[in-house]
Amino acid sequence: MARIPDAFIDELLARTDIVEVISTRVPLKRQGKEYSACCPFHDERSPSFTVSPTKQFYHCFGCGAHGTALSFLMNYDRLEFLDAVEELARRNGMEVPRETQQRNQDNDTRDLFGALEAAARFFQRQLEGSDKARAYLDGRGVDAATRAQFAIGYAPDGFSALKDALGTDERRMKLLDRAGLFSKNDRGHTYDKFRDRVMFPIYDRRGRVIAFGGRVLQKDDGPKYLNSPETALFHKGRELYGLWQVRQANQKIARLIVVEGYMDVVSLFQFGVKQAVATLGTATTPDHAELLFRNAPDVYFCFDGDAAGQRAAWRALESVLPRMKDGRQAFFLFLPDGEDPDTIVRQEGAAAFDARLQQAMPLSEFFFQELGKDIRLSTLDGKARLAERARPLLAQIPDGAFGDLMRQRLSEITGVGAATASAPPPAKPLPRAAAHRSAGNKPSLVRSAIVCLLHKPSLALALQPPHAFAGLRLPGVELLLELLDIVHARPDITTGVLLEHFAEREELPALQKLAMQELPGDENIWQAELLDAAHQMERQLLQQRIDELQVKQRNIGLDEADKYELRALLQARVAR
């Protein structure tokens, strides 16, 4: 997909009022120059979510959520980047720039979506006219409302029902083929891929049909489930069946329940458990894990209790572990032999199924239970083996309390690292943007300059490159220079967009805190402070070079060029 120019994103965000975007979704209350609310991204009783109209930036002091109007739409409405861009562009009457080739691809993509939607409507009409398909769903207890909610249909028996109905010309035939709705035999003859099956449309995150799953009516009529092949629109390792319906049914998704089959999702919904999704005939992938946690903080994996279910659960854990940021939780529920969520919820009801979820095994417990299955932890050898198995997996957990507690638990079980487990960890070097302070607790010059820029990025234009303090060896100078360069390249940039440049960088948390600090005074005072900081850093750079030459003089002596430079620097210091 063609890359959207940075200049367009800047203009889009410049035209967007972040307060207007957020206030349509979250009730904001004015507090001085800013707005506040209870954070929509985590549960809290007192407001810690702040929106700044001047900086076009939001930040939660509780969970750390932050960003621009664009990232808010991605996180709150759970949109992909391009979808969020298109939403903001539509609100502002702007057209997203695309190359001619990209526009042609977009038209082709729209035609594919149209073909799949037409197929979905065809299958629904066929269900209305098929006694045996309706009898099957009646027998499974799927009511009319649920059938409509999931747009369940029926693919007729025979080899050309869909082909005859929709493949009216060569172009339509090619579209249906590329949409994964046809198969070909050895002689090259094209025929319907789905035949005599109950059809479950699979939707993308914008509610568009991208594929189908088909279930046989009789056990011996081929594979139980048949999914669409991978296409330009459908990648099974990135999609979850039912996620669209979950998002329609829940204003706020507190949890997601991952089950194995279409009917499990459908039945749970019908009985009031409206947070169920299913992987599409594949193990839980890293893309699935990212998608799950983007939509909900708590994820429950529901598997059979047999060996296959245990293996599926472990594969899910391997995908989830590197994404276990603080605030996220994963649980594993293993069902009795011969049972699945469909049968359980019909026999016991939604309340009983929810009670089972409340007893689900936390990821931490499942992790150590599985790793220690064939190990004798009563021996030193066994404890060493568990530590050896666990360490590379634990290293994948993002920095934070959860990772620390998992490593602490390993020490408790094995004793490995126990001697140092209670000692405070060695201090990590602060990021370049950290709030470095002098001995008198006064903010450093670099920190002061960075704070001024974060509050009013256009102040950078008062400092023209090349910057005379560029060689100064102080923490944060390189970052300050980078900030200055970004603003000079994009003079109208806002605080929110400036911070987005550091979205994947270690400096981001410190920059966020500095951006949200109260800064006394006004723009004129901030500019004076920035210019004064730059002037003082130039003096420090001059002194830094004098010190270098004087050290060299004491150690090995100076040549004529060095002596001339030192005299000039000393004179310049007096003049300043």
Side-chain angles (χ1 to χ4, degrees):
M1 184 170 289
R3 185 177 182 274
I4 300 175
D6 289 338
F8 176 80
I9 300 297
D10 284 352
E11 183 182 357
L12 179 64
L13 290 172
R15 291 196 195 182
T16 299
D17 180 359
I18 191 171
V19 174
E20 182 184 339
V21 171
I22 294 179
S23 63
T24 60
R25 295 159 173 82
V26 178
L28 297 177
K29 182 178 181 181
R30 184 158 198 134
Q31 288 190 335
K33 295 180 180 179
E34 297 177 340
Y35 294 81
S36 69
C38 287
C39 180
F41 302 116
H42 80 288
D43 292 326
E44 61 177 8
R45 294 182 180 177
S46 57
S48 61
F49 182 79
T50 300
V51 183
S52 170
T54 56
K55 300 171 189 173
Q56 288 296 298
F57 174 72
Y58 70 87
H59 180 80
C60 176
F61 292 94
C63 69
H66 70 279
T68 62
L70 194 56
S71 57
F72 181 85
L73 286 182
M74 292 174 66
N75 290 310
Y76 188 86
D77 288 1
R78 306 176 190 95
L79 299 178
E80 298 297 320
F81 173 74
L82 182 56
D83 296 335
V85 169
E86 289 179 340
E87 170 65 16
L88 283 186
R90 183 188 60 77
R91 290 172 63 99
N92 288 285
M94 299 171 67
E95 184 176 348
V96 180
R98 289 180 172 87
E99 302 169 357
T100 301
Q101 180 182 1
Q102 181 65 26
R103 287 197 296 270
N104 292 338
Q105 290 175 357
D106 288 346
N107 290 335
D108 188 57
T109 298
R110 279 195 292 272
D111 289 343
L112 273 177
F113 280 123
L116 287 158
E117 182 61 36
R121 291 195 299 269
F122 170 78
F123 292 138
Q124 284 181 280
R125 289 195 300 271
Q126 297 304 307
L127 177 63
E128 294 171 6
S130 172
D131 292 338
K132 68 174 181 178
R134 292 199 313 277
Y136 170 81
L137 291 172
D138 290 341
R140 296 296 300 265
V142 182
D143 62 27
T146 305
R147 297 179 199 183
Q149 183 177 21
F150 286 88
I152 297 172
Y154 170 66
D157 204 357
F159 287 86
S160 63
L162 179 70
K163 178 181 171 183
D164 293 342
L166 300 182
T168 53
D169 55 41
E170 184 177 352
R171 177 179 168 277
R172 296 284 294 177
M173 285 285 290
K174 288 181 178 178
L175 273 174
L176 293 168
D177 185 36
R178 287 170 46 224
L181 292 166
F182 289 154
S183 295
K184 289 184 180 178
N185 60 20
D186 295 339
R187 293 170 293 179
H189 179 70
T190 300
Y191 57 93
D192 290 355
K193 183 176 186 66
F194 297 100
R195 305 177 306 279
D196 197 24
R197 289 176 179 267
V198 173
M199 299 297 289
F200 300 88
I202 300 164
Y203 294 89
D204 68 5
R205 274 140 272 181
R206 293 173 65 180
R208 300 172 297 189
V209 179
I210 55 173
F212 293 93
R215 194 199 190 285
V216 294
L217 302 182
Q218 303 295 328
K219 290 183 179 180
D220 299 329
D221 291 347
K224 182 177 178 180
Y225 282 105
L226 181 65
N227 291 326
S228 293
E230 301 261 321
T231 68
L233 303 181
F234 176 57
H235 305 278
K236 63 183 179 181
R238 301 179 196 168
E239 304 294 339
L240 293 166
Y241 177 71
L243 182 58
W244 166 251
Q245 284 83 1
V246 170
R247 290 169 61 175
Q248 297 305 298
N250 299 272
Q251 185 173 4
K252 184 175 182 180
I253 307 172
R255 66 182 183 184
L256 282 173
I257 305 160
V258 184
V259 295
E260 295 189 80
Y262 299 104
M263 283 301 302
D264 294 324
V265 172
V266 169
S267 294
L268 286 171
F269 258 79
Q270 183 171 315
F271 279 80
V273 184
K274 298 183 182 295
Q275 304 92 27
V277 296
T279 55
L280 300 163
T282 183
T284 305
T285 67
D287 284 334
H288 285 145
E290 191 63 43
L291 183 58
L292 287 163
F293 280 127
R294 186 186 300 172
N295 284 274
D298 293 355
V299 178
Y300 292 77
F301 293 95
C302 187
F303 295 108
D304 294 341
D306 59 12
Q310 295 282 330
R311 288 193 298 271
W314 184 256
R315 286 195 294 271
L317 181 145
E318 289 178 320
S319 293
V320 164
L321 204 61
R323 289 153 185 85
M324 289 297 293
K325 299 176 183 177
D326 287 351
R328 294 176 171 181
Q329 297 186 99
F331 302 88
F332 295 85
L333 173 62
F334 297 101
L335 299 178
D337 288 345
E339 300 288 358
D340 56 33
D342 177 19
T343 59
I344 289 283
V345 77
R346 292 183 184 282
Q347 292 169 11
E348 302 179 358
F353 185 79
D354 191 68
R356 287 181 179 272
L357 290 174
Q358 300 306 315
Q359 299 300 314
M361 190 182 300
L363 180 147
S364 54
E365 182 180 339
F366 180 58
F367 177 87
F368 289 110
Q369 175 182 291
E370 282 297 295
L371 283 186
K373 262 187 175 178
D374 59 348
I375 294 176
R376 291 174 57 196
L377 288 174
S378 59
T379 68
L380 294 179
D381 308 64
K383 291 177 179 178
R385 177 170 292 180
L386 178 62
E388 180 185 9
R389 290 180 180 178
R391 277 174 168 168
L393 293 167
L394 296 181
Q396 299 177 28
I397 301 174
D399 290 342
F402 179 71
D404 293 342
L405 290 169
M406 288 288 282
R407 285 182 281 275
Q408 179 181 320
R409 180 60 180 148
L410 178 63
S411 294
E412 292 169 357
I413 295 172
T414 65
V416 176
T420 58
S422 59
K428 293 183 179 179
L430 289 172
R432 290 180 294 167
H436 300 286
R437 295 177 178 268
S438 65
N441 205 35
K442 180 182 178 181
S444 74
L445 293 171
V446 179
R447 178 182 179 278
S448 296
I450 288 174
V451 170
C452 289
L453 288 177
L454 291 174
H455 280 71
K456 188 69 176 178
S458 61
L459 294 178
L461 303 178
L463 294 174
Q464 292 300 315
H467 303 294
F469 56 85
L472 183 61
R473 291 190 294 273
L474 278 182
V477 168
E478 290 182 12
L479 178 60
L480 173 59
L481 291 167
E482 185 177 356
L483 290 167
L484 291 168
D485 288 343
I486 292 171
V487 179
H488 275 278
R490 302 162 71 176
D492 296 327
I493 197 169
T494 63
T495 302
V497 179
L498 188 59
L499 289 172
E500 286 297 312
H501 276 265
F502 300 89
E504 303 298 327
R505 302 258 299 265
E506 65 173 352
E507 298 93 343
L508 181 62
L511 286 172
Q512 291 169 353
K513 291 178 182 177
L514 295 179
M516 296 308 297
Q517 282 184 359
E518 288 291 332
L519 188 60
D522 56 22
E523 183 177 336
N524 293 329
I525 293 175
W526 302 342
Q527 179 171 318
E529 185 175 345
L530 176 64
L531 292 172
D532 180 63
H535 179 70
Q536 290 190 56
M537 285 188 286
E538 290 173 19
R539 287 179 58 85
Q540 289 188 11
L541 179 62
L542 185 148
Q543 185 62 48
Q544 176 181 291
R545 181 57 180 159
I546 291 173
D547 294 342
E548 290 172 352
L549 289 171
Q550 288 178 338
V551 169
K552 184 178 180 182
Q553 185 178 41
R554 290 193 297 269
N555 292 337
I556 61 175
L558 301 178
D559 58 25
E560 288 304 314
D562 289 337
K563 291 176 182 178
Y564 179 82
E565 182 185 1
L566 181 58
R567 285 194 298 272
L569 290 171
L570 291 170
Q571 290 172 0
R573 184 176 66 178
V574 172
R576 286 175 179 269

